[in-house]
Amino acid sequence: MNRFLKRGIILLIAGIAFNIVGYVMKDRGLDHYGWPMVAGTVLFGLGFLFAFYSLFRKVEAQGLIEERAEEKERKARFDKEARKRKHAWMH
């Protein structure tokens, strides 16, 4: 679990908690219940973005690993062919 996913989960939970506090305040007839609800919605949104970014980074990193492996394989094939040609030319 990377830092972005951890932060995302924490922000998601905090956003849900703030929204619950806002609904409880609204049910009890307290004023200014909208502020915790707004904060909860913003925190929830940020948490979702962090979690999504974590997933995006993971997919991108996997793509880079695969790309580097393919490049290494192509280079190995090229070197092998070059040695084969050099060896055949010398004989």
Side-chain angles (χ1 to χ4, degrees), residues 29-71:
L30 299 173
D31 293 335
H32 308 295
Y33 62 86
W35 290 109
M37 294 176 91
V38 169
T41 302
V42 169
L43 290 173
F44 187 85
L46 286 173
F48 179 78
L49 288 176
F50 270 84
F52 184 73
Y53 182 66
S54 161
L55 177 66
F56 182 74
R57 282 176 47 106
K58 185 176 184 177
V59 169
E60 184 179 8
Q62 186 63 35
L64 285 173
I65 290 169
E66 290 173 2
E67 185 178 319
R68 288 177 184 160
E70 289 173 4
E71 184 67 30

Side-chain angles (χ1 to χ4, degrees), residues 2-40:
N2 65 23
R3 64 182 176 183
F4 293 107
L5 184 58
K6 286 179 187 176
R7 289 176 186 168
I9 291 171
I10 290 170
L11 288 171
L12 283 169
I13 292 170
I16 292 169
F18 269 89
N19 276 322
I20 290 171
V21 167
Y23 280 114
V24 168
M25 287 175 68
K26 182 179 178 183
D27 285 343
R28 294 190 179 174
L30 299 173
D31 293 335
H32 308 295
Y33 62 86
W35 290 109
M37 294 176 91
V38 169

